[in-house]
Amino acid sequence: MIIDEGLLLARSKPGLRAVRLPALDVPPLPAGAIPGKLLRREPPKLPEVSEVDLARHYTRLSQKNFSVDTHFYPLGSCTMKYNPKINEEFVRDPVVRRAHPFQDESQIQPLLGMLHRTGRWLENLSGFPAVSLQPSAGAHGELTCLMVIRAWLRDHGGADRTDVLIPDSAHGTNPATAALCGLNAVEVPSDARGLVDLDRLRAAVGPKTAAMMVTNPNTLGLFEEHIVEIAKILHDAGAFLFMDGANFNAILGRARPHDFGVDAMHMNLHKTFAVPHGGGGPGCGPVGVSSALAPYLPVPHVEEEGGIYRLVYDRPKSIGKVRGFFGSVGAILRSYCYLRILGDEGIRRVSDHAVLNANYLRKLVGEVLHVPYDRACMHEFVATLDRLPNLPERPAMQAAKRLLDLGIHPPTTYFPLIVHECWMIEPTETESKEQMEGFADAVRQIAREAAESPELLTSAPRNLPVTRLDEVRAAREPKLTWFSASQTVRPGGR
Ligand SMILES: Cc1ncc(COP(=O)(O)O)c(C=O)c1O
């Protein structure tokens, strides 16, 4: 792998061209049309390179990273499943590509129709009578649901209900959402089996409880077996049950959260229905709610009457707009394409295979690492690395870095917080048996290396363009401009 790719400017040779622009087909501006002080004094320093140089440069840059298209990527909870390329072709269709959010509804009927049908499909899968496609991500969907619940409570004499109960295994966005909504996050401990502790829940619920946020399957990859009882405890106390649906991909077509008694839920389209995300694209976090909460959903809402689709803003109880225009349309339509191609039966098979793969991998990994909640899991499982020998400091991190050398993107590390030195592993349904066996072999190799030559772990990764970064600093002070030591031409920027 070429480590120091350098800038295109360094390859520049006067006269080389990757692209030739067509001749100007509009009259040139008359002299003096642009004030002299705004005119450049010299041409911009753009690289002059051939098409081959250009293609190779960007292809090499693209290979410096890990992605679902290049590597196994078992990132628990974040669900990096393979994104079928037909989704991309679909959203490049002119009906989608040329649409503009300010266009008249009459001109974008096919697009609005697809949004409408996606909403109905999500209603069928989740069991909720009403779905809004508006929120832009999972965390945004959580926030939308809590705002909807808070609006209902204010309308029904519950404004003093300010506590939100959250299991200690929850994703960090749950307490952050409660805080952003002006509510207090109250932690509920898990029991010895990794599930919500019902006695502790009963003790925590009270007249100040607005809602509980429960993730199901939870972040240990375990199904909350007492979800119906949990809903009853909340409802008996006059509170709502919100479900973090980020792990919906585990139960798609097999169970509908509204049937458990859940009042509101967000769905992470980008994780559940194969949409590039993380560095690769925007997310989308539609929400489903019960009929009592439906009038409070954000606007606009896509409605259909007599075969005509409309964006409806006139909903007096709505919490209003939560984002511009009408949702992450590109993500919604990729999900629509995925749903249409797979159909109801295919969607069921998605969750079946996700669960089957996770259980197979749990068995294989369990031969090497300790799996603390070692029973049938859903789409992911958690293993701990604290028993690896010779790694006194942060073994989960050291082993994750070594996985990079072996060509595998590490699983989610150090989450959920209730498991010490853990990896959260989610193979997803798109991986083959051989791929998972390859991962288990890598884990076996790492365990052997920890015993025999631990420096291979503590110095990893060695084969990548960057080795050990100060990760906190990298996030806080990202270096967004590249300079080589010998570079004399400095492009704009720091
Ligand atoms: C359990 C859980 N909840 C919420 C979220 C937040 O979703 P997003 O990253 O789309 O905001 C995630 C993200 O991975 C998650 O795993």
Side-chain angles (χ1 to χ4, degrees):
M1 181 184 286
I2 295 174
I3 303 290
D4 191 358
E5 173 59 22
L7 294 180
L8 269 182
L9 269 178
R11 289 170 204 275
S12 186
K13 261 201 204 156
L16 285 181
R17 290 283 176 277
V19 176
R20 281 182 203 282
L21 297 178
L24 197 63
D25 61 355
V26 290
L29 285 176
I34 299 177
K37 66 176 183 192
L38 298 181
L39 289 176
R40 285 184 172 279
R41 304 212 191 297
E42 52 188 69
K45 289 196 178 70
L46 296 176
E48 295 178 70
V49 291
S50 68
E51 184 178 322
V52 178
D53 282 342
L54 191 69
R56 289 191 182 147
H57 173 71
Y58 284 110
T59 307
R60 278 194 296 262
L61 285 182
S62 75
Q63 300 305 304
K64 282 175 181 267
N65 213 345
F66 280 65
S67 72
V68 268
D69 284 351
T70 52
H71 298 89
F72 183 47
Y73 210 127
L75 200 63
S77 205
C78 299
T79 313
M80 301 299 277
K81 66 168 79 167
Y82 176 71
N83 301 296
K85 297 300 164 259
I86 191 157
N87 293 352
E88 303 308 309
E89 235 172 87
F90 178 66
V91 292
R92 278 190 212 118
D93 187 277
V95 167
V96 179
R97 188 164 40 89
R98 296 218 179 116
H100 191 280
F102 283 132
Q103 252 174 300
D104 190 81
E105 284 165 18
S106 63
Q107 296 171 348
I108 50 169
Q109 282 293 304
L111 181 84
L112 293 181
M114 289 188 282
L115 297 183
H116 185 263
R117 285 192 288 281
T118 311
R120 301 298 75 72
W121 209 313
L122 297 180
E123 284 171 8
N124 286 338
L125 286 169
S126 63
F128 289 101
V131 160
S132 166
L133 300 174
Q134 284 292 308
S136 304
H140 196 200
E142 294 171 31
L143 181 66
T144 303
C145 285
L146 283 202
M147 287 168 71
V148 162
I149 288 172
R150 198 183 51 181
W152 187 97
L153 286 170
R154 283 184 180 160
D155 265 4
H156 294 81
D160 54 347
R161 287 183 176 263
T162 48
D163 287 351
V164 179
L165 310 182
I166 303 176
D168 57 4
S169 58
H171 194 264
T173 49
N174 290 186
T177 295
L180 203 60
C181 223
L183 302 167
N184 311 317
V186 178
E187 191 172 279
V188 181
S190 303
D191 65 15
R193 299 183 69 236
L195 304 176
V196 171
D197 186 322
L198 289 188
D199 291 336
R200 308 289 281 269
L201 173 60
R202 282 192 195 94
V205 167
K208 290 196 80 59
T209 310
M212 177 170 196
M213 301 178 89
V214 73
T215 306
N216 197 17
N218 70 16
T219 60
L220 295 165
L222 302 173
F223 191 82
E224 286 290 350
E225 293 162 15
H226 306 297
I227 188 76
V228 174
E229 182 64 15
I230 292 171
K232 185 168 181 320
I233 294 172
L234 270 293
H235 293 160
D236 287 351
F240 287 94
L241 180 61
F242 162 82
M243 188 175 121
D244 180 322
N247 296 335
F248 196 27
N249 58 321
I251 55 173
L252 276 180
R254 291 285 169 200
R256 305 190 314 165
H258 191 43
D259 297 345
F260 311 150
V262 172
D263 303 293
M265 164 191 177
H266 84 261
M267 296 161 243
N268 279 32
L269 293 195
H270 46 295
K271 294 166 47 168
T272 310
F273 302 114
V275 180
H277 59 285
C284 189
V287 296
V289 297
S290 62
S291 46
L293 295 174
Y296 299 87
L297 282 175
V299 289
H301 192 251
V302 190
E303 289 183 8
E304 185 257 352
E305 208 182 316
I308 305 293
Y309 300 98
R310 288 187 311 126
L311 285 165
V312 175
Y313 289 83
D314 182 22
R315 293 190 148 199
K317 285 187 183 294
S318 165
I319 58 168
K321 278 170 90 80
V322 294
R323 58 159 288 146
F325 305 114
F326 33 97
S328 293
V329 171
I332 298 169
L333 294 183
R334 283 177 176 87
S335 303
Y336 176 71
C337 180
Y338 185 77
L339 284 164
R340 287 295 301 264
I341 285 176
L342 287 170
D344 290 333
E345 179 50 31
I347 286 292
R348 257 195 300 280
R349 295 219 319 262
V350 161
S351 47
D352 289 355
H353 285 195
V355 172
L356 183 64
N357 278 0
N359 278 287
Y360 182 54
L361 196 54
R362 177 178 60 83
K363 277 285 172 205
L364 295 180
V365 170
E367 290 167 9
V368 188
L369 301 177
H370 176 58
V371 176
Y373 301 93
D374 200 9
R375 60 180 196 273
C377 63
M378 299 298 291
H379 62 306
E380 64 193 6
F381 65 98
V382 175
T384 170
L385 290 94
D386 61 357
R387 301 183 185 184
L388 282 187
N390 301 325
L391 296 172
E393 277 181 35
R394 317 205 73 206
M397 193 267 283
Q398 316 281 13
K401 299 275 186 203
R402 182 66 180 142
L403 264 186
L404 289 165
D405 272 342
L406 304 181
I408 294 175
H409 190 287
T412 299
T413 51
Y414 297 93
F415 177 67
L417 302 179
I418 58 172
V419 183
H420 192 53
E421 291 296 332
C422 69
W423 281 0
M424 180 201 259
I425 305 167
E426 177 175 4
T428 79
E429 75 279 4
T430 39
E431 298 302 333
S432 65
K433 188 166 172 282
E434 292 73 25
Q435 179 63 76
M436 289 184 293
E437 287 161 358
F439 177 79
D441 286 345
V443 174
R444 225 170 267 124
Q445 175 177 334
I446 288 173
R448 204 170 45 243
E449 288 172 354
E452 293 166 6
S453 37
E455 67 287 354
L456 281 177
L457 277 70
T458 51
S459 62
R462 293 156 175 238
N463 307 334
L464 300 185
V466 287
T467 52
R468 289 252 165 158
L469 293 175
D470 177 336
E471 290 166 9
V472 175
R473 233 179 121 206
R476 295 279 182 279
E477 299 168 28
K479 285 192 186 149
L480 302 177
T481 307
W482 186 94
F483 297 119
S484 86
S486 59
Q487 192 180 324
T488 50
V489 185
R490 294 206 155 196
R494 286 186 297 141

